[in-house]
């Protein structure tokens, strides 16, 4: 980095007035209105930065002690913006802008998550005006050049500064920086090029989605002003609660109630799952909290291929009401088996905790 004193052409013990006079002299020589060359613009930046540092006592002291010095207060960026306009932009701005994104929440059933589903969603959004088709003017008319800024979108005015009178550029207040005006605005859209309307959007919701997931539908948001490009539509998914099945990743979970006699002798059953009947084989002597796994009957994976499993936790049901004959049969069974009396055993987790841990593979 060049030495700031050398850039301004002053001695290191120069007074603030000498630094200011040197800067004014160089800035007038290098001002873009006087010297439009690219080298002059770079030199002007360098001179301005040097003055920003050396004109501030604190920054000058820091620089003299070996620091780089940072422009503060009314610094280089402010001065450069004064000369070249806001953000360095030149010329009129376009009326066309990108439309805003939209967020829509959609609820689906767990059945829909297994294979995916299709929805036709009705939303209120901005659509292209069907009268002017984004031109903003009445049919047969067109935009007119602004008489105030003459199509530039900018108004120049002189402002007094350290450099004397300099020219600044600000957006034209008549055309709002567009460089054109609308003599005959479209009556359907009031010159906006778009209108609010209720429209139907077809959406394919993929399999495997879960609550909180957001799907991006590019270009399905509202149309921009003056027929600008559409924004995006985001769908936030919520999966409704199911009374029988729940979900763990790509697996479906369910609880199977098995009567005590079926648990002892074993049984088979055909039950309805989310996507049709499923055959279940309960082995003799099955215990509560055992998990039966039906491969490939879970949820289709959102990313990748294949499906998860259907995992069924067994709950053996002990009868609570027995008639005399049933009670006698149980006594005979107990007498024949000669079961051990109740006693403390190794600590085991409760049924539902055990089921949860087995479901989740803990």
């Amino acid at each position: 980095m060049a030495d700031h004193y050398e850039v301004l052409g002053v001695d290191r013990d120069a007074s603030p007035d000498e630094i200011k006079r040197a800067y004014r002299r160089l800035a007038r020589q290098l001002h873009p209105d006087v010297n439009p060359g690219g080298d002059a613009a770079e030199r002007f930046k360098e001179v301005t930065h040097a003055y920003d540092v050396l004109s501030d006592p604190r920054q000058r002291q820091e620089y003299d002690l070996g620091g780089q010095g940072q422009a503060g207060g009314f610094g280089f960026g402010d001065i450069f913006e004064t000369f070249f306009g806001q953000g360095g932009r030149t010329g009129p701005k376009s009326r066309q802008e990108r439309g805003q994104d939209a967020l829509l929440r959609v609820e689906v059933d767990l059945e829909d998550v297994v294979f995916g589903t299709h929805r036709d969603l009705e939303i209120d959004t901005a659509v292209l005006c069907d009268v002017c088709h984004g031109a903003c003017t009445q049919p047969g008319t067109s935009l007119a050049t602004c008489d105030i800024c003459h199509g530039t979108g900018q108004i120049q005015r002189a402002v007094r500064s350290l450099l004397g009178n300099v020219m600044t550029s600000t957006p034209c207040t008549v055309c709002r920086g567009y460089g054109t005006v609308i003599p005959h605005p479209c009556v359907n859209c009031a010159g906006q090029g778009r209108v609010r309307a209720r429209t139907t959007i077809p959406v394919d919701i993929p399999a495997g989605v879960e609550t909180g997931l957001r799907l991006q539908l590019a270009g399905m948001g509202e149309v921009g002003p003056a027929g600008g490009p559409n924004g995006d539509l985001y769908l936030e998914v919520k999966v409704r609660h199911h009374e029988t099945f729940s979900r763990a990743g790509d697996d479906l979970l369910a609880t199977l109630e098995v009567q005590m006699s079926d648990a002892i002798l074993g049984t088979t059953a055909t039950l309805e799952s989310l996507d049709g009947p499923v055959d279940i084989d309960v082995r003799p002597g099955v215990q509560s909290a055992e998990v039966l796994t039906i491969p490939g009957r879970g949820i289709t994976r959102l990313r990748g291929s294949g499906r998860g499993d259907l995992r069924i936790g067994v709950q053996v049901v002990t009868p609570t009401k027995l008639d005399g004959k049933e009670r006698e049969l149980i006594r005979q069974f107990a007498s024949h088996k000669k079961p051990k009396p109740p006693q403390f055993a190794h600590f085991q987790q409760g049924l539902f905790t055990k089921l949860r841990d087995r479901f989740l593979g803990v």
Side-chain angles (χ1 to χ4, degrees):
M1 179 181 293
D3 182 82
H4 292 336
Y5 292 100
E6 293 180 1
V7 169
L8 294 178
V10 297
D11 295 330
R12 302 190 71 84
D13 59 353
S15 67
D17 287 339
E18 290 175 328
I19 291 175
K20 182 181 294 186
R21 285 196 297 270
Y23 172 61
R24 286 181 173 177
R25 175 177 54 81
L26 291 171
R28 287 193 181 98
Q29 294 176 4
L30 301 171
H31 188 277
D33 289 344
V34 177
N35 194 340
D39 292 341
E42 291 301 317
R43 174 76 171 142
F44 178 74
K45 295 178 185 179
E46 191 176 32
V47 166
T48 303
H49 178 61
Y51 176 72
D52 283 338
V53 174
L54 299 183
S55 63
D56 183 278
R58 182 185 60 80
Q59 294 188 64
R60 182 179 180 181
Q61 182 181 21
E62 180 184 342
Y63 180 75
D64 289 341
L65 292 175
Q68 295 298 319
Q70 300 295 327
F74 187 74
F76 165 73
D78 300 313
I79 296 175
F80 195 74
E81 181 176 305
T82 298
F83 288 136
F84 298 103
Q86 297 179 350
R89 180 179 59 81
T90 59
K93 64 180 182 180
S94 173
R95 289 184 179 275
Q96 288 191 338
E97 299 178 13
R98 181 181 182 275
Q100 291 186 345
D101 296 336
L103 175 63
L104 188 64
R105 292 177 174 83
V106 57
E107 290 191 358
V108 296
D109 293 321
L110 191 57
E111 293 94 327
D112 299 328
V113 177
V114 176
F115 293 115
T117 187
H118 177 86
R119 292 287 181 85
D120 290 322
L121 303 177
E122 288 192 354
I123 63 172
D124 289 315
T125 187
V127 300
L128 191 68
C129 175
D130 58 3
V131 174
C132 69
H133 305 288
C136 304
T137 62
Q138 283 277 45
T141 66
S142 59
L143 301 173
T145 301
C146 177
D147 293 332
I148 305 301
C149 67
H150 306 291
T152 64
Q154 302 289 313
I155 298 296
Q156 292 189 334
R157 60 190 180 90
V159 175
R160 293 186 61 83
S161 72
L162 294 175
L163 309 179
N165 288 335
V166 296
M167 298 300 294
T168 65
S169 295
T170 58
C172 176
T173 57
V174 175
C175 67
R176 295 182 296 173
Y178 295 122
T180 57
V181 294
I182 308 175
H184 306 286
C186 173
V187 295
N188 187 54
C189 64
Q192 296 298 310
R194 60 178 184 170
V195 295
R196 303 296 299 185
R198 191 165 185 84
T199 184
T200 301
I201 297 179
V203 174
D204 289 320
I205 300 175
V209 296
E210 58 186 338
T211 296
L213 181 71
R214 285 190 178 183
L215 304 173
Q216 180 183 10
L217 305 178
M220 300 294 285
E222 66 176 34
V223 69
N230 289 61
D232 297 336
L233 175 64
Y234 290 87
L235 291 184
E236 186 173 272
V237 177
K238 179 182 179 182
V239 182
R240 296 187 185 96
H241 172 74
H242 197 279
E243 293 295 332
T244 302
F245 298 95
S246 61
R247 177 181 183 176
D250 295 322
D251 293 337
L252 284 174
L253 311 180
T255 300
L256 180 68
E257 291 185 348
V258 178
Q259 297 301 315
M260 184 179 68
S261 56
D262 289 333
I264 296 172
L265 302 175
T267 187
T268 59
T270 300
L271 302 177
E272 283 295 325
S273 68
L274 292 179
D275 62 326
V278 58
D279 294 328
I280 299 174
D281 184 13
V282 179
R283 67 171 183 82
V286 70
Q287 300 295 307
S288 287
E290 285 192 26
V291 176
L292 310 178
T293 300
I294 312 297
R297 294 301 294 267
I299 294 173
T300 303
R301 294 182 176 89
L302 179 62
R303 298 175 181 85
S305 59
R307 297 175 61 183
D309 300 331
L310 171 59
R311 293 196 282 169
I312 304 171
V314 175
Q315 181 180 353
V316 178
V317 179
T318 302
T320 57
K321 295 182 179 180
L322 299 174
D323 58 26
K325 183 177 181 180
E326 291 170 335
R327 192 177 299 276
E328 181 60 31
L329 289 173
I330 293 296
R331 287 197 183 99
Q332 293 177 14
F333 174 77
S335 175
H336 178 73
K337 290 291 292 183
K338 296 182 179 179
K340 296 180 180 180
Q343 59 184 334
F344 284 119
H346 292 294
F347 175 78
Q348 295 183 0
Q349 295 171 314
L351 171 64
F352 295 104
T353 302
K354 196 172 181 180
L355 276 173
R356 180 202 64 190
D357 291 349
R358 290 195 180 187
F359 275 148
L360 302 180
V362 176

